[in-house]
Amino acid sequence: MPKIRTFLGLSLLSVLLACGGGGGGDAGGTPPSSGFRVSLDRSNVSFDFEEGQTVTPAVVIASSSGTPSGDLYIGAVAEGEGIDPYIDAVIEGTQARFSLRPRASLAPGNYSGRVLLKACEDAACTRTIGGTPLPVSYTVKVRKGLTVTPSELNIVAVSGNEASAVLKVNHPDGPGGSFSDTVRSDGAWLRTGVHGIGELPVTLKSLRSGTYFGSIEIRASGRLVNVPVRYTVTPPPGGDRDLQVSPQSLSLATTENASSAVQTLNVTLPSWGDTTLGIYTAYQQANGEYVQSSGGWLSVQRTANGASVVASAAALSQGSYNAQILFNPAAPGTPIVVPVSLTVGAGLVKPADQQLSVTAETSSSALQGQVAIALAAGNTVAWSASSDATWLKLLNASGQTGQALRYQVDSSALDSMTNFAESEATVTVRAPQTQISPVSFKVSLRKAIPEVHYVGPYLLVQNQAAEVYVRGRGFDQVQDLAARLQLSGLAASQISRLSDTQLLLSVNPTNTGKHVIGIGNALGLGSGSTELRVIAARSYPAAALATAGKKRTILFDAERQAVYAVNVEGETIDRMRFDAQAGWSLDSVSIPAILDAGIGPDGQQLLVSSKSGILRLLNAANLQTEFSLQSSESLLESLTYLSNGIPTGNDGRAWLAVGQSWAELQYFDHRSRSLKPRPQQAELSTSFYGGPWMVMARNGERMLVVQSASISSDPPMLYLDSSEGLLKTNPAALTFSYDMQLSADGNRVLFDFSTVRDRNFGLIGQLPSLPSTHVVQAGLISPDGKRAYVLAYADSDMGNFDQAPTQLPRVFVYDSSQASSGSIALTEVGQFDLTAYPGCRRTDGSCPRPRATISPDGQTLFVVGNEKLVVAPIPSALRSSTGARRIGAAGTPSLRTYLWRKSAP
């Protein structure tokens, strides 16, 4: 049976003190306990710190002598407002070490009170013994620091309208104190204004519908506060409208030393109201390339409704000339290029090049076009035309000058064209039976229909609500996402367009199986899609399977009910598969000099690296190698036996550390199957010495990066969001961490088995110290972020590694959703034991710590060491109970006790 400790609604943690020897006095009028006494090593503690700082606890040591006459309970209770009522304690023989820390979120000011230690003969502590209660006086001084409210901005606006907010800056020097601010955003949509007295105005410009992320850093007197910004822009009535220019091309004509007639281009600005528009000209060179210049033969003047265009042949001889006019709106608007042709002299007027595009909303009528066929001077002549591309059909291949040449794209050819690529046709116009020179123009067709590459996570659990990132391209051109999105058996309660390459869906899958995710288009063309898999929650029975060799990484493939382990000692990928009838079985594939492995972005392949620099893609079903690539650089082995696997983003990028002592980050692109350097960031200085090492959330969005453990001072921890693909410095000044565990969505992180933070690196709480009887081995956080798990070995078994263990490994379970009001301590909700030791119990470097992972449904832990894979179902009571404490009101503390020693019967 699992051992479960139940927490009731009391305002204090009390622990029992193990004692021995004696007899003696009492307090509170209870019968004497022969010589039993409790003493403290100090009678007062004090704290002096700035608000918002994490404070080192003060330790009070309680010592005992003598033997109590009956049952013994002991606990501590805090009086007043200043001390965290959750008082952590560690029992060590006849001593107890109580950790006192200030209550969380104390306002600036001075606080004082007492902490009372009580030794009792009953659980309700109605009879105290041992000379208790013993008071410890405390003083807490909280100095004013730099704080900003609100701590984060979550703004919603309709496209076409600006939004604004005001941040209240509480300066340590008072309302008149000066501060500076720095805006971090992708683009110039986030702006700050003139500082007021204790206020910072914030403006968010109108944007295309979507979700945008940024931050504002506020500094004062050497202090830094980071305010995350989430800006959600909803579509206007009728949907977004991008920049539009008509006509889409211009054909001009004139004679030498003269100017053409003025032509007009009508411009409709984007619906989100940004009037910023740059207009540039470029001219075709002899090699066919276009070079931007403001001093050519074109003159473009901005008008109220667009632009006027005129060509001058003052410096041109007879012939045909090509140019382009570029209309460049502010991001996220789409630039438009207008081709321009100029014919100088007699003969046929050269038509301007034509540009067609096929996007999500392109209709069949938009696949047609026409150009005027004209003679610069002279009588009407007959003409004929031909196309050199089968996909471009001429609807009238002959006519008279003054008549238009009409053309049409053969829609049956579109499916075979490469998406997000251009096809080009040349149309030649001749005047038969004349001496007039032929002219030609190009028709380019860009096919850019939306396509879906990956979803993250690629696997969901039935009836468990989740957010799913959809990655691909061409999303900005979709007017009605709800109508175009294809989910095949899934329903999305919310659809957010994050960018042209990313959507965010809120789903609650009710049907298991494979669901094709794609985006349709008006022409019904086939486009790229992917599959989202939904499985039912599964309960695995407890098991232990022998698997020798030192392991670096453990991965769980829920779709195939398989655990993969990187066996660096055996140089194999070990696979342990579960069958409902046969149970667990083991097979392996040899990978010489294996280094690490990770599951691919769609779950169908394993990416395996080796110390020799070879990357392999293994089919996840049969572990056969489907592709291999030799890296030109060494793959870094930053930590021999410590990895969470090769981190793979929802954009298909698998991140790798390359180099030797000094390293760098590269990524393996699963779509192109090639290695690429990370994007250059001139503003970011990295120190990858002996590192980095990384961990990615299961949805493939948030990755944490520790730069090094080998240089001083420690460089800051970095993070990367796949939606942006850029490294950033964390705002909480975090540096080094050996072990980082993320929830499925990255909204909770467990650092080094002790501290839980949120997505913005804000402190959620700290795990209480383990009993001195146990040594931490591994940590995990549940997929939903509500539970933190710490695996520990019995200390007595670690010291006797050559003998049979006397205790089973134990998992301590904590509520990581939030700390109780006024506290930073996270509640322990219970404990349970594994059925076996997964690895050796030595304390030297020859015995690496076991590696652990958790099933996507949060029901099962998998732990592998150099001896066994241990499968550990998590008791449902520990997964579902809230674990919350109810903190008593200040001035009315209540006491909680534990039975430590039972009197002899």
Side-chain angles (χ1 to χ4, degrees):
M1 292 291 290
K3 301 178 181 179
I4 302 174
R5 181 181 299 166
T6 303
F7 280 69
L8 303 176
L10 295 170
S11 69
L12 131 101
L13 171 69
S14 306
V15 296
L16 288 173
L17 183 62
C19 311
D26 71 307
T30 59
S33 295
S34 300
F36 174 71
R37 306 292 296 178
V38 176
S39 61
L40 304 179
D41 71 328
R42 57 199 299 186
S43 60
N44 61 81
V45 296
S46 62
F47 301 91
D48 186 341
F49 61 96
E50 191 173 280
E51 62 176 327
Q53 289 183 335
T54 301
V55 183
T56 301
V59 177
V60 177
I61 300 175
S63 302
S64 69
S65 61
T67 303
S69 60
D71 295 345
L72 173 61
Y73 298 81
I74 195 168
V77 61
E79 296 179 339
E81 299 179 346
I83 292 295
D84 187 336
Y86 186 96
I87 301 174
D88 190 16
V90 176
I91 303 297
E92 296 178 344
T94 59
Q95 288 187 334
R97 299 170 61 88
F98 290 89
S99 295
L100 309 183
R101 59 171 62 89
R103 182 185 284 265
S105 303
L106 286 175
N110 297 306
Y111 304 83
S112 61
R114 299 187 306 171
V115 175
L116 300 180
L117 174 70
K118 295 184 179 183
C120 313
E121 291 189 342
D122 63 316
C125 208
T126 59
R127 298 186 302 277
T128 58
I129 59 175
T132 68
L134 298 175
V136 177
S137 300
Y138 69 81
T139 59
V140 178
K141 180 179 181 180
V142 183
R143 290 176 278 107
K144 188 174 180 60
L146 176 65
T147 60
V148 181
T149 54
S151 58
E152 59 183 289
L153 290 177
N154 194 343
I155 307 295
V156 179
V158 177
S159 182
N161 301 278
E162 280 196 344
S164 62
V166 175
L167 293 174
K168 301 291 186 181
V169 179
N170 300 305
H171 198 282
D173 297 334
S178 63
F179 59 91
S180 63
D181 67 89
T182 303
V183 172
R184 310 284 187 191
S185 67
D186 183 13
W189 56 268
L190 180 61
R191 303 187 299 270
T192 54
V194 177
H195 298 181
I197 299 178
E199 292 186 343
L200 178 62
V202 179
T203 302
L204 302 90
K205 66 180 289 187
S206 175
L207 290 176
R208 182 201 297 267
S209 63
T211 303
Y212 303 84
F213 298 92
S215 64
I216 302 172
E217 295 177 353
I218 299 175
R219 288 179 168 84
S221 303
R223 302 164 178 87
L224 168 66
V225 173
N226 183 76
V227 180
V229 180
R230 180 187 177 105
Y231 185 31
T232 303
V233 183
T234 59
D240 291 313
R241 185 190 66 252
D242 208 338
L243 177 69
Q244 297 175 354
V245 179
S246 64
Q248 297 177 352
S249 64
L250 291 177
S251 297
L252 308 177
T254 188
T255 58
E256 291 179 340
N257 204 34
S259 296
S260 69
V262 177
Q263 299 286 331
T264 298
L265 290 173
N266 297 308
V267 176
T268 303
L269 293 172
S271 59
W272 45 94
D274 195 322
T275 59
T276 303
L277 183 65
I279 303 178
Y280 309 94
T281 53
Y283 298 89
Q284 189 178 42
Q285 307 301 299
N287 60 4
E289 294 182 354
Y290 284 84
V291 175
Q292 183 175 316
S293 172
S294 59
W297 46 264
L298 267 180
S299 175
V300 184
Q301 299 295 326
R302 182 78 183 268
T303 65
N305 297 317
S308 63
V309 182
V310 65
S312 170
L316 301 178
S317 58
Q318 287 193 23
S320 297
Y321 303 87
N322 293 319
Q324 294 176 341
I325 304 174
L326 171 65
F327 292 86
N328 190 29
T334 304
I336 291 179
V337 173
V338 177
V340 180
S341 69
L342 172 64
T343 301
V344 179
L348 292 171
V349 176
K350 180 185 183 303
D353 292 342
Q354 305 293 298
Q355 295 178 326
L356 300 174
S357 62
V358 178
T359 64
E361 308 301 337
T362 300
S363 62
S364 57
S365 62
L367 299 178
Q368 301 178 14
Q370 65 179 32
V371 295
I373 306 299
L375 196 63
N379 298 323
T380 300
V381 298
W383 58 262
S384 64
S386 61
S387 167
D388 68 351
T390 58
W391 57 265
L392 185 67
K393 304 299 183 182
L394 302 183
L395 299 180
N396 59 325
S398 61
Q400 301 287 320
T401 53
Q403 294 178 338
L405 166 62
R406 294 180 293 113
Y407 58 85
Q408 178 176 296
V409 175
D410 183 357
S411 59
S412 65
L414 290 174
D415 265 325
S416 62
M417 290 182 175
T418 302
N419 204 20
F420 287 89
E422 285 193 1
S423 300
E424 190 175 82
T426 299
V427 177
T428 302
V429 181
R430 295 176 174 85
Q433 302 176 352
T434 72
Q435 298 301 310
I436 299 174
S437 299
V439 294
S440 62
F441 64 96
K442 297 183 183 299
V443 178
S444 61
L445 173 66
R446 178 171 175 78
K447 179 183 175 183
I449 59 174
E451 60 184 26
V452 173
H453 302 158
Y454 303 110
V455 290
Y458 70 86
L459 181 141
L460 299 179
V461 178
Q462 183 183 26
N463 296 323
Q464 290 189 8
E467 288 190 329
V468 177
Y469 289 90
V470 179
R471 298 305 300 264
R473 52 183 174 174
F475 300 160
D476 274 350
Q477 301 304 317
V478 181
Q479 289 295 319
D480 188 343
L481 280 171
R484 294 286 186 213
L485 191 62
Q486 300 167 344
L487 299 177
S488 71
L490 288 175
S493 59
Q494 185 173 353
I495 304 171
S496 300
R497 181 181 358 227
L498 303 184
S499 69
D500 184 63
T501 62
Q502 191 173 33
L503 307 177
L504 184 61
L505 312 181
S506 297
V507 299
N508 190 353
T510 57
N511 301 317
T512 60
K514 299 177 181 179
H515 302 269
V516 177
I517 309 299
I519 296 180
N521 54 80
L523 293 174
L525 300 174
S527 62
S529 62
T530 191
E531 290 181 336
L532 174 65
R533 290 156 173 80
V534 179
I535 63 170
R538 294 169 176 155
S539 297
Y540 292 94
L545 179 68
T547 168
K550 296 175 182 178
K551 313 300 193 303
R552 174 179 169 87
T553 299
I554 183 173
L555 307 168
F556 179 57
D557 182 346
E559 181 183 2
R560 296 171 186 82
Q561 301 187 77
V563 175
Y564 309 107
V566 174
N567 191 331
V568 293
E569 184 177 14
E571 299 187 50
T572 58
I573 277 281
D574 296 345
R575 177 173 61 177
M576 293 136 281
R577 289 182 290 179
F578 179 77
D579 180 83
Q581 303 300 321
W584 290 91
S585 61
L586 169 68
D587 63 346
S588 300
V589 172
S590 175
I591 306 290
I594 189 170
L595 178 60
D596 212 346
I599 298 178
D602 59 3
Q604 302 311 295
Q605 294 172 320
L606 297 180
L607 178 63
V608 183
S609 64
S610 64
K611 299 175 186 177
S612 58
I614 298 177
L615 293 173
R616 296 175 174 86
L617 284 176
L618 275 57
N619 185 299
N622 55 30
L623 298 187
Q624 296 297 306
T625 298
E626 297 182 339
F627 173 81
S628 63
L629 173 69
Q630 176 68 59
S631 171
S632 60
E633 298 191 58
S634 301
L635 300 180
L636 184 71
E637 182 183 356
S638 54
L639 296 169
T640 305
Y641 301 121
L642 181 62
S643 173
N644 289 291
I646 297 175
T648 301
N650 52 43
D651 55 0
R653 296 179 177 184
W655 291 92
L656 303 160
V658 299
Q660 297 181 359
S661 296
W662 287 97
E664 186 48 272
L665 278 175
Q666 291 187 354
Y667 65 88
F668 176 78
D669 186 343
H670 275 267
R671 276 180 52 79
S672 65
R673 293 188 171 183
S674 60
L675 273 171
K676 299 180 180 180
R678 72 173 177 90
Q680 292 299 307
Q681 297 178 248
E683 78 285 358
L684 180 72
S685 176
T686 59
S687 299
F688 297 147
Y689 184 77
W693 57 94
M694 304 83 74
V695 60
M696 179 78 75
R698 197 169 65 84
N699 66 2
E701 181 61 14
R702 170 58 60 87
M703 181 173 74
L704 300 180
V705 181
V706 173
Q707 297 196 59
S708 176
S710 307
I711 57 176
S712 183
S713 60
D714 291 335
M717 182 183 298
L718 306 175
Y719 70 97
L720 177 145
D721 291 330
S722 294
S723 56
E724 297 179 339
L726 299 175
L727 292 172
K728 297 181 179 181
T729 301
N730 82 89
L734 303 182
T735 56
F736 175 80
S737 178
Y738 264 125
D739 193 89
M740 302 171 289
Q741 302 293 327
L742 281 75
S743 60
D745 58 8
N747 288 335
R748 286 290 185 274
V749 189
L750 173 63
F751 290 99
D752 288 330
F753 327 113
S754 62
T755 303
V756 176
R757 293 181 178 270
D758 63 19
R759 183 182 190 83
N760 299 320
F761 299 92
L763 179 65
I764 298 298
Q766 294 180 338
L767 276 60
S769 303
L770 287 180
S772 59
T773 54
H774 286 78
V775 179
V776 65
Q777 295 294 311
L780 286 170
I781 201 156
S782 63
D784 62 8
K786 296 180 179 179
R787 289 290 180 271
Y789 301 96
V790 174
L791 169 66
Y793 286 179
D795 182 60
S796 57
D797 288 334
M798 295 291 288
N800 299 302
F801 53 83
D802 55 346
Q803 301 177 16
T806 60
Q807 300 182 53
L808 292 171
R810 179 158 296 179
V811 178
F812 295 80
V813 186
Y814 304 92
D815 180 358
S816 54
S817 58
Q818 62 181 6
S820 294
S821 176
S823 175
I824 63 169
L826 301 178
T827 305
E828 181 187 329
V829 297
Q831 307 168 12
F832 66 98
D833 291 343
L834 304 187
T835 58
Y837 273 90
C840 64
R841 294 172 281 116
R842 298 177 66 93
T843 56
D844 56 31
S846 66
C847 183
R849 290 193 289 107
R851 310 304 298 142
T853 189
I854 191 169
S855 59
D857 56 19
Q859 296 190 20
T860 310
L861 298 182
F862 302 93
V863 187
V864 70
N866 64 331
E867 297 176 2
K868 296 176 181 177
L869 166 72
V870 178
V871 181
I874 303 170
S876 60
L878 300 186
R879 290 187 278 109
S880 59
S881 61
T882 63
R885 296 188 315 281
R886 185 171 63 251
I887 299 299
T892 58
S894 56
L895 177 69
R896 178 171 188 185
T897 57
Y898 292 98
L899 175 64
W900 180 261
R901 180 168 178 168
K902 187 77 173 174
S903 61

